[in-house]
Amino acid sequence: MPERPILVIGGGPAGLEAARSIADLGYKAVLVEKRDRLGGMPDEAGYAQLTDFRDAGEAMAEMAGAVEACDEVDIRLSSTVTGSIGSVGNFDVELTNGGKPETLQVGAVIVATGFQHFDPGRETQQYGYYEHDDVITLVDLEKMLKAHNVVRPSNGEPPERLCFIQCVGSRDRQIGNEYCSKVCCGVASKEAIEVRQQLPNCKTFIFYIDMRMYGYWENEIYWPAQEKHKVNYIKGIATEIVKKGDRLLVRGEDTTMGRPMEVPMDIVVLSVGMEPSAGTREMARIFGLTQNKYNFIETTGGALSTVTTNVAGIFACGATTGPADLEDSISSAGAAAMKAMATIRKHKDTAA
Amino acid sequence: MPERPILVIGGGPAGLEAARSIADLGYKAVLVEKRDRLGGMPDEAGYAQLTDFRDAGEAMAEMAGAVEACDEVDIRLSSTVTGSIGSVGNFDVELTNGGKPETLQVGAVIVATGFQHFDPGRETQQYGYYEHDDVITLVDLEKMLKAHNVVRPSNGEPPERLCFIQCVGSRDRQIGNEYCSKVCCGVASKEAIEVRQQLPNCKTFIFYIDMRMYGYWENEIYWPAQEKHKVNYIKGIATEIVKKGDRLLVRGEDTTMGRPMEVPMDIVVLSVGMEPSAGTREMARIFGLTQNKYNFIETTGGALSTVTTNVAGIFACGATTGPADLEDSISSAGAAAMKAMATIRKHKDTAA
């Protein structure tokens, strides 16, 4: 019996890294992606630059190209996983491609279905995302930055004052997302730098609770944002956005100065957090994976086990298991590939 | 010619995970550790609990035991790497064990030599680490927590008031460590919880700039620390510690209240950051690895390449490349193992 391949679900950074890693060691992988192209969220959401300031489209094309060049990887686009039976070493996984069903026989599974951005219209009505044209999200701004066309949606004119509001959909008990989404401080700061580069006359502000610029983001993004690019960081809480004449008025409290604030803005960017994607929730259901209270897939074994799920032979990586930056996704994808191959190898030895 | 093994340098969490991963796929590894036992910094520094609140000694013993049980891993304790010649696929690495030299022929190398804690007596004299007995570090407190004996070094009595000062040796341009050490907010909060558990009458404070409780640390450590364990978080900057009678006086500024503060403490814990270990700096020199300005080993390729160095066949993981939490170390070690095996495999194919 030939060795069964490893199923990788999701064609974003984590899934691409996992699939290529498997191929690099001569194992076979099937990479399933629901969209008709690879590249995942950075491609789908039209990110301008990654947090290392590399062009996101170019980086994702390079990752996708490397996987496409692997004979060992069978890529299935426009396909979704709809069911699974069996256990470690012998999973029969049902797939559909535009209604055309198929059963794949795989030895192990890596779930890399990632996250979705929090919908700021859903529960934080005080920010008026659906009400005010010039209230946008980090993702909306990425698209504008990519197109080199940062303008006020209400009138098509470049903004003179733009601000970010951090922790929208994160660190928020009222909406049930108590966790920190980890990347928004870094992403907002990166976008603020890009705004300042594209529109040097646009005053740019970030309202935050804590700036979580951990590790090298501190020296590579946060300090240059302040010193070189003159981004203004204000520790404060925005409670309301109202329309005032042609502009938006952000109301809240400057917690450092200990006083109320009312600042006019042309564009307000909501730094929306991470939630498990529909695919992540669906794969948890299909494979019987334990989810945490936020519906991300739970890894077992604490800090020393980052990709193992409750089901033997099924591994999870990237933002499938919780808020993750790109480095997290790449490293955990490599680790998941390694563990999935070890599982296949062990099962073959046992079965032999 | 038999396949050359992979050399893993460092027997801490990252090195142990890398060595076991290599064995799991049937490749051979040589694990070199300078101490006479495995377990790395959590063992050497006597950590009480990991950030997932698991007993650190037990967790490290389990990791070490798993590697010791691998036939494929040749463990060399009390050994250090002293030189290397050759290139990818064919490194001849010199080793010494108590003056006894040996040459190992290896195909690839994983550097997992990690970090050392910042020495707070070195440059931040205002905190009086060498001057005041009751000024200690995160590491000193770990040992006390592990021994269930948290007492004032000056008089052996349990403290009634204990505080942590964050960012000692991190985010500090004057001493040249501009980066954030990433884990100190989480570690200090974990230790604060343990203090409150062991000494319920000890009032516990954390003075911070930003609380970088990213991802799940927010809901798993930070919220419980405040709500369940009544740890007091104060956004403030401590500028000086002086002796006042039997106690210490912490002087600085409460930046939220916008006023100077002077608070008496029985123990002051300096939350010291991460610097590259002597081993990391030495391995960089021996293998010709590019270091960043902080002397950590630099990875190439930005966010999408987390373990690759400038030298083909040499990989770095864990805190060898910069501030890293345990999850980072475990994931990047798996990824490094995978890439090192791929290198060996590719080289064998090329040479065949």
Side-chain angles (χ1 to χ4, degrees), chain B residues 159-203:
Chain B
E160 287 168 20
R161 296 169 62 85
L162 177 151
C163 77
F164 297 81
I165 297 176
Q166 298 304 106
C167 302
V168 177
S170 304
R171 303 182 68 180
D172 187 335
R173 179 169 292 177
Q174 283 200 303
I175 62 166
N177 292 357
E178 290 99 349
Y179 57 86
C180 156
S181 285
K182 195 169 182 178
V183 304
C184 332
C185 285
V187 171
S189 296
K190 176 207 73 106
E191 291 190 17
I193 290 174
E194 292 175 276
V195 167
R196 293 283 301 155
Q197 287 173 327
Q198 293 188 18
L199 299 174
N201 293 323
C202 179
K203 286 196 174 16

Short mmCIF file of all heavy atoms in Angstrom, two decimals, chain B residues 159-203:
data_model
loop_
_atom_site.label_atom_id
_atom_site.label_comp_id
_atom_site.label_asym_id
_atom_site.label_seq_id
_atom_site.Cartn_x
_atom_site.Cartn_y
_atom_site.Cartn_z
N PRO B 159 7.45 39.27 52.63
CA PRO B 159 7.13 40.66 52.33
C PRO B 159 5.63 40.95 52.51
O PRO B 159 4.80 40.08 52.30
CB PRO B 159 7.52 40.79 50.86
CG PRO B 159 7.31 39.41 50.31
CD PRO B 159 7.70 38.47 51.42
N GLU B 160 5.36 42.19 52.89
CA GLU B 160 3.96 42.63 52.93
C GLU B 160 3.60 43.41 51.67
O GLU B 160 2.44 43.53 51.32
CB GLU B 160 3.72 43.49 54.17
CG GLU B 160 3.69 42.66 55.44
CD GLU B 160 3.73 43.54 56.69
OE1 GLU B 160 3.41 44.75 56.60
OE2 GLU B 160 4.10 43.00 57.76
N ARG B 161 4.62 43.96 51.05
CA ARG B 161 4.41 44.73 49.82
C ARG B 161 5.54 44.39 48.85
O ARG B 161 6.71 44.53 49.18
CB ARG B 161 4.41 46.24 50.11
CG ARG B 161 3.26 46.71 51.00
CD ARG B 161 3.47 48.14 51.45
NE ARG B 161 3.49 49.07 50.33
CZ ARG B 161 2.40 49.61 49.77
NH1 ARG B 161 1.20 49.32 50.24
NH2 ARG B 161 2.50 50.44 48.75
N LEU B 162 5.15 43.97 47.67
CA LEU B 162 6.14 43.56 46.66
C LEU B 162 5.73 44.17 45.33
O LEU B 162 4.55 44.20 44.98
CB LEU B 162 6.17 42.03 46.58
CG LEU B 162 7.07 41.34 45.55
CD1 LEU B 162 7.51 39.96 46.07
CD2 LEU B 162 6.36 41.16 44.20
N CYS B 163 6.71 44.68 44.60
CA CYS B 163 6.38 45.22 43.27
C CYS B 163 7.36 44.74 42.21
O CYS B 163 8.48 44.34 42.52
CB CYS B 163 6.33 46.75 43.28
SG CYS B 163 7.95 47.53 43.28
N PHE B 164 6.88 44.77 41.00
CA PHE B 164 7.70 44.49 39.82
C PHE B 164 7.90 45.81 39.07
O PHE B 164 6.97 46.60 38.94
CB PHE B 164 6.99 43.51 38.88
CG PHE B 164 6.75 42.15 39.45
CD1 PHE B 164 5.67 41.92 40.31
CD2 PHE B 164 7.58 41.09 39.14
CE1 PHE B 164 5.43 40.65 40.84
CE2 PHE B 164 7.36 39.82 39.67
CZ PHE B 164 6.27 39.60 40.51
N ILE B 165 9.10 46.00 38.57
CA ILE B 165 9.35 47.13 37.66
C ILE B 165 9.66 46.54 36.29
O ILE B 165 10.63 45.78 36.13
CB ILE B 165 10.53 48.00 38.15
CG1 ILE B 165 10.17 48.63 39.50
CG2 ILE B 165 10.87 49.07 37.13
CD1 ILE B 165 11.30 49.44 40.12
N GLN B 166 8.83 46.85 35.32
CA GLN B 166 8.95 46.28 33.97
C GLN B 166 10.03 46.98 33.15
O GLN B 166 10.46 48.08 33.50
CB GLN B 166 7.61 46.36 33.25
CG GLN B 166 6.49 45.55 33.93
CD GLN B 166 6.85 44.09 34.12
OE1 GLN B 166 7.15 43.64 35.22
NE2 GLN B 166 6.86 43.34 33.03
N CYS B 167 10.41 46.31 32.06
CA CYS B 167 11.30 46.90 31.05
C CYS B 167 12.68 47.27 31.59
O CYS B 167 13.25 48.30 31.21
CB CYS B 167 10.66 48.13 30.39
SG CYS B 167 9.09 47.78 29.58
N VAL B 168 13.23 46.43 32.47
CA VAL B 168 14.60 46.66 32.93
C VAL B 168 15.55 45.95 31.96
O VAL B 168 15.59 44.73 31.89
CB VAL B 168 14.79 46.14 34.38
CG1 VAL B 168 16.25 46.32 34.81
CG2 VAL B 168 13.84 46.86 35.32
N GLY B 169 16.25 46.75 31.18
CA GLY B 169 17.13 46.19 30.16
C GLY B 169 16.44 46.00 28.82
O GLY B 169 16.98 45.36 27.92
N SER B 170 15.22 46.53 28.69
CA SER B 170 14.48 46.45 27.43
C SER B 170 13.88 47.83 27.13
O SER B 170 13.69 48.63 28.04
CB SER B 170 13.31 45.47 27.55
OG SER B 170 13.75 44.20 27.95
N ARG B 171 13.58 48.07 25.88
CA ARG B 171 12.97 49.32 25.45
C ARG B 171 13.79 50.50 25.96
O ARG B 171 13.23 51.54 26.33
CB ARG B 171 11.52 49.42 25.96
CG ARG B 171 10.64 48.27 25.53
CD ARG B 171 9.20 48.43 26.01
NE ARG B 171 8.55 49.54 25.31
CZ ARG B 171 7.29 49.91 25.52
NH1 ARG B 171 6.55 49.26 26.39
NH2 ARG B 171 6.76 50.92 24.87
N ASP B 172 15.09 50.32 25.97
CA ASP B 172 15.95 51.30 26.63
C ASP B 172 17.08 51.68 25.70
O ASP B 172 18.01 50.91 25.47
CB ASP B 172 16.49 50.67 27.92
CG ASP B 172 17.26 51.67 28.78
OD1 ASP B 172 17.78 52.66 28.22
OD2 ASP B 172 17.33 51.44 29.99
N ARG B 173 16.97 52.86 25.14
CA ARG B 173 17.97 53.29 24.18
C ARG B 173 19.31 53.57 24.85
O ARG B 173 20.37 53.33 24.25
CB ARG B 173 17.48 54.54 23.46
CG ARG B 173 18.47 55.09 22.44
CD ARG B 173 17.86 56.15 21.58
NE ARG B 173 16.85 55.57 20.71
CZ ARG B 173 16.11 56.30 19.88
NH1 ARG B 173 16.25 57.60 19.83
NH2 ARG B 173 15.21 55.72 19.11
N GLN B 174 19.26 54.06 26.07
CA GLN B 174 20.52 54.42 26.75
C GLN B 174 21.46 53.24 26.89
O GLN B 174 22.67 53.39 26.76
CB GLN B 174 20.20 55.00 28.13
CG GLN B 174 19.70 56.43 28.04
CD GLN B 174 19.86 57.14 29.36
OE1 GLN B 174 19.33 56.69 30.36
NE2 GLN B 174 20.59 58.24 29.36
N ILE B 175 20.89 52.06 27.15
CA ILE B 175 21.78 50.91 27.29
C ILE B 175 21.90 50.15 25.97
O ILE B 175 22.60 49.14 25.90
CB ILE B 175 21.30 49.96 28.40
CG1 ILE B 175 19.92 49.39 28.07
CG2 ILE B 175 21.28 50.64 29.74
CD1 ILE B 175 19.55 48.22 28.94
N GLY B 176 21.20 50.60 24.94
CA GLY B 176 21.36 49.98 23.62
C GLY B 176 20.40 48.84 23.34
O GLY B 176 20.47 48.24 22.27
N ASN B 177 19.53 48.52 24.28
CA ASN B 177 18.54 47.46 24.04
C ASN B 177 17.18 48.10 23.70
O ASN B 177 16.29 48.17 24.54
CB ASN B 177 18.39 46.56 25.28
CG ASN B 177 19.63 45.72 25.55
OD1 ASN B 177 20.58 45.76 24.79
ND2 ASN B 177 19.60 44.96 26.62
N GLU B 178 17.02 48.53 22.45
CA GLU B 178 15.78 49.21 22.09
C GLU B 178 14.60 48.25 21.97
O GLU B 178 13.45 48.65 22.08
CB GLU B 178 15.93 49.93 20.74
CG GLU B 178 16.83 51.13 20.78
CD GLU B 178 18.22 50.81 20.28
OE1 GLU B 178 18.53 49.62 20.10
OE2 GLU B 178 18.99 51.76 20.06
N TYR B 179 14.90 46.97 21.70
CA TYR B 179 13.82 46.01 21.49
C TYR B 179 13.05 45.75 22.78
O TYR B 179 13.53 46.03 23.89
CB TYR B 179 14.39 44.69 20.95
CG TYR B 179 15.46 44.09 21.85
CD1 TYR B 179 15.11 43.26 22.91
CD2 TYR B 179 16.81 44.36 21.64
CE1 TYR B 179 16.09 42.73 23.74
CE2 TYR B 179 17.79 43.82 22.46
CZ TYR B 179 17.43 43.01 23.50
OH TYR B 179 18.38 42.49 24.33
N CYS B 180 11.85 45.20 22.62
CA CYS B 180 11.03 44.73 23.74
C CYS B 180 11.35 43.26 23.94
O CYS B 180 11.46 42.50 22.97
CB CYS B 180 9.56 44.93 23.40
SG CYS B 180 8.40 43.86 24.26
N SER B 181 11.51 42.82 25.18
CA SER B 181 11.91 41.43 25.42
C SER B 181 10.73 40.47 25.40
O SER B 181 10.88 39.27 25.65
CB SER B 181 12.69 41.31 26.72
OG SER B 181 14.00 41.82 26.54
N LYS B 182 9.57 40.96 25.08
CA LYS B 182 8.39 40.17 24.73
C LYS B 182 7.75 39.40 25.87
O LYS B 182 6.55 39.39 25.99
CB LYS B 182 8.75 39.20 23.58
CG LYS B 182 7.53 38.59 22.89
CD LYS B 182 7.90 37.85 21.62
CE LYS B 182 6.67 37.30 20.92
NZ LYS B 182 6.96 36.61 19.67
N VAL B 183 8.53 38.72 26.70
CA VAL B 183 7.94 37.79 27.67
C VAL B 183 7.81 38.36 29.08
O VAL B 183 7.10 37.79 29.91
CB VAL B 183 8.74 36.48 27.75
CG1 VAL B 183 8.85 35.84 26.38
CG2 VAL B 183 10.11 36.70 28.33
N CYS B 184 8.49 39.48 29.37
CA CYS B 184 8.58 39.92 30.77
C CYS B 184 7.23 40.32 31.35
O CYS B 184 6.99 40.12 32.54
CB CYS B 184 9.56 41.08 30.92
SG CYS B 184 10.87 41.11 29.70
N CYS B 185 6.32 40.90 30.53
CA CYS B 185 5.00 41.26 31.05
C CYS B 185 4.26 39.99 31.48
O CYS B 185 3.63 39.96 32.54
CB CYS B 185 4.19 41.99 29.97
SG CYS B 185 4.70 43.71 29.71
N GLY B 186 4.33 38.96 30.65
CA GLY B 186 3.66 37.71 30.98
C GLY B 186 4.30 37.01 32.16
O GLY B 186 3.61 36.50 33.04
N VAL B 187 5.62 37.00 32.19
CA VAL B 187 6.32 36.31 33.28
C VAL B 187 6.09 37.03 34.61
O VAL B 187 5.80 36.41 35.63
CB VAL B 187 7.83 36.18 32.96
CG1 VAL B 187 8.60 35.66 34.17
CG2 VAL B 187 8.04 35.26 31.76
N ALA B 188 6.19 38.36 34.61
CA ALA B 188 5.96 39.12 35.84
C ALA B 188 4.53 38.88 36.35
O ALA B 188 4.31 38.70 37.54
CB ALA B 188 6.21 40.61 35.61
N SER B 189 3.58 38.86 35.44
CA SER B 189 2.18 38.67 35.84
C SER B 189 1.98 37.27 36.41
O SER B 189 1.27 37.08 37.40
CB SER B 189 1.25 38.90 34.65
OG SER B 189 1.34 40.24 34.21
N LYS B 190 2.61 36.28 35.78
CA LYS B 190 2.54 34.91 36.28
C LYS B 190 3.17 34.83 37.67
O LYS B 190 2.59 34.23 38.60
CB LYS B 190 3.29 33.98 35.32
CG LYS B 190 3.39 32.54 35.78
CD LYS B 190 4.61 31.85 35.20
CE LYS B 190 5.89 32.32 35.83
NZ LYS B 190 6.56 31.44 36.75
N GLU B 191 4.32 35.46 37.85
CA GLU B 191 4.97 35.42 39.16
C GLU B 191 4.13 36.17 40.21
O GLU B 191 4.05 35.76 41.36
CB GLU B 191 6.38 36.02 39.07
CG GLU B 191 7.35 35.14 38.28
CD GLU B 191 8.81 35.61 38.38
OE1 GLU B 191 9.13 36.38 39.30
OE2 GLU B 191 9.61 35.19 37.52
N ALA B 192 3.52 37.28 39.78
CA ALA B 192 2.67 38.03 40.71
C ALA B 192 1.52 37.16 41.21
O ALA B 192 1.17 37.17 42.39
CB ALA B 192 2.14 39.29 40.03
N ILE B 193 0.94 36.38 40.30
CA ILE B 193 -0.13 35.45 40.69
C ILE B 193 0.40 34.42 41.69
O ILE B 193 -0.22 34.13 42.72
CB ILE B 193 -0.72 34.75 39.45
CG1 ILE B 193 -1.53 35.75 38.61
CG2 ILE B 193 -1.59 33.56 39.87
CD1 ILE B 193 -2.03 35.20 37.28
N GLU B 194 1.59 33.90 41.42
CA GLU B 194 2.16 32.90 42.33
C GLU B 194 2.47 33.51 43.71
O GLU B 194 2.28 32.85 44.74
CB GLU B 194 3.45 32.32 41.71
CG GLU B 194 3.20 31.47 40.47
CD GLU B 194 4.51 31.01 39.81
OE1 GLU B 194 5.06 31.80 39.02
OE2 GLU B 194 4.97 29.90 40.11
N VAL B 195 2.94 34.76 43.72
CA VAL B 195 3.18 35.43 45.01
C VAL B 195 1.87 35.53 45.78
O VAL B 195 1.80 35.21 46.97
CB VAL B 195 3.79 36.85 44.79
CG1 VAL B 195 3.74 37.66 46.08
CG2 VAL B 195 5.22 36.74 44.28
N ARG B 196 0.83 35.94 45.09
CA ARG B 196 -0.47 36.10 45.76
C ARG B 196 -0.99 34.76 46.26
O ARG B 196 -1.69 34.69 47.28
CB ARG B 196 -1.47 36.75 44.80
CG ARG B 196 -1.13 38.18 44.43
CD ARG B 196 -1.47 39.16 45.53
NE ARG B 196 -2.88 39.11 45.86
CZ ARG B 196 -3.40 39.46 47.04
NH1 ARG B 196 -2.62 39.88 48.02
NH2 ARG B 196 -4.69 39.39 47.25
N GLN B 197 -0.68 33.69 45.53
CA GLN B 197 -1.14 32.37 45.97
C GLN B 197 -0.35 31.90 47.20
O GLN B 197 -0.91 31.33 48.12
CB GLN B 197 -0.98 31.35 44.83
CG GLN B 197 -2.01 31.54 43.72
CD GLN B 197 -1.75 30.65 42.51
OE1 GLN B 197 -0.60 30.36 42.17
NE2 GLN B 197 -2.82 30.23 41.85
N GLN B 198 0.97 32.17 47.19
CA GLN B 198 1.79 31.70 48.31
C GLN B 198 1.71 32.61 49.52
O GLN B 198 1.83 32.15 50.66
CB GLN B 198 3.25 31.54 47.84
CG GLN B 198 3.44 30.42 46.82
CD GLN B 198 4.91 30.14 46.51
OE1 GLN B 198 5.80 30.51 47.26
NE2 GLN B 198 5.15 29.45 45.40
N LEU B 199 1.52 33.91 49.27
CA LEU B 199 1.45 34.90 50.37
C LEU B 199 0.21 35.77 50.16
O LEU B 199 0.30 36.91 49.68
CB LEU B 199 2.70 35.79 50.37
CG LEU B 199 4.06 35.14 50.58
CD1 LEU B 199 5.17 36.17 50.39
CD2 LEU B 199 4.15 34.52 51.97
N PRO B 200 -0.96 35.26 50.56
CA PRO B 200 -2.20 35.99 50.27
C PRO B 200 -2.26 37.38 50.90
O PRO B 200 -3.04 38.22 50.46
CB PRO B 200 -3.29 35.08 50.86
CG PRO B 200 -2.67 33.73 50.96
CD PRO B 200 -1.21 33.96 51.22
N ASN B 201 -1.43 37.64 51.91
CA ASN B 201 -1.47 38.96 52.54
C ASN B 201 -0.47 39.94 51.94
O ASN B 201 -0.37 41.07 52.40
CB ASN B 201 -1.20 38.82 54.05
CG ASN B 201 -2.34 38.08 54.72
OD1 ASN B 201 -3.51 38.25 54.37
ND2 ASN B 201 -2.01 37.21 55.68
N CYS B 202 0.28 39.48 50.95
CA CYS B 202 1.28 40.37 50.36
C CYS B 202 0.66 41.19 49.22
O CYS B 202 0.24 40.65 48.20
CB CYS B 202 2.46 39.55 49.83
SG CYS B 202 3.73 40.57 49.06
N LYS B 203 0.61 42.49 49.42
CA LYS B 203 0.10 43.37 48.36
C LYS B 203 1.13 43.39 47.22
O LYS B 203 2.33 43.55 47.46
CB LYS B 203 -0.09 44.78 48.89
CG LYS B 203 -1.31 44.94 49.81
CD LYS B 203 -1.63 46.41 49.97
CE LYS B 203 -2.91 46.71 50.73
NZ LYS B 203 -3.50 45.66 51.53
#
